[in-house]
Amino acid sequence: KGLNSFDKNGFNTYARIITHTTLGDYSEYSSLRDPYILTSFERNQLSQQLHTQTTQSLAKINIKIIHWYGINPVKINDQNSLEISYLRQLGDNPYVAVRTYYFENNDREHLVTVSYRLRDEKVWKPLFIKSLKSLEITKK
């Protein structure tokens, strides 16, 4: 509250949920019900690749990765997802915890990213968990 009017109190905390959908062709992506089956080698390779891409992308806007937690297959409301998580920092600002959930849904992919300042974790983490538990993607 207050960010759009540049009220300084509006900047006391930071948290957001971003959703992004990319459309593709029929059967280009797996189904929401298909589990992500990765060997530990594949998981490590994918994690390294995503770490490199994310680091390079964020560096362009003065954000650095403080800690890379990697990727993990997870289920959210019986929907299969890959969770990508890390801790980042913009300039000298406080650390921000980031979790991105990647869903494949037949002809589209969905990314849901939740982030908040680490110092505000007690406030935001429970709300984001509740939000994710309510997430339901319509099967395509």
Side-chain angles (χ1 to χ4, degrees), residues 72-131:
N72 289 298
V74 296
K75 274 197 182 246
I76 297 175
N77 291 338
D78 203 33
Q79 301 167 117
N80 291 293
S81 174
L82 281 179
E83 178 191 66
I84 303 137
S85 57
Y86 56 93
L87 193 62
R88 67 167 177 81
Q89 183 180 31
L90 169 63
D92 293 327
N93 290 320
Y95 292 172
V96 172
V98 179
R99 285 185 176 77
T100 297
Y101 298 90
Y102 173 77
F103 300 89
E104 291 191 9
N105 192 12
N106 193 15
D107 67 343
R108 60 199 67 202
E109 65 180 357
H110 307 282
L111 294 172
V112 177
T113 302
V114 297
S115 57
Y116 52 83
R117 286 190 186 136
L118 193 58
R119 69 179 186 204
D120 299 330
E121 185 171 50
K122 287 182 181 178
V123 172
W124 295 112
K125 188 175 181 178
L127 293 172
F128 284 155
I129 290 170
K130 186 176 180 179
S131 295

Side-chain angles (χ1 to χ4, degrees), residues 4 10 19 29 35 38 41 47 60 75 79 85 95 112 120 140:
N4 292 335
T19 59
Y29 301 103
L38 299 169
F41 176 77
S47 183
K60 294 175 186 174
K75 274 197 182 246
Q79 301 167 117
S85 57
Y95 292 172
V112 177
D120 299 330
K140 291 289 182 181

Side-chain angles (χ1 to χ4, degrees), residues 23-38:
L23 297 177
D25 294 323
Y26 184 78
S27 296
E28 183 174 341
Y29 301 103
S30 295
S31 164
L32 284 167
R33 304 291 182 236
D34 293 341
Y36 288 95
I37 300 171
L38 299 169

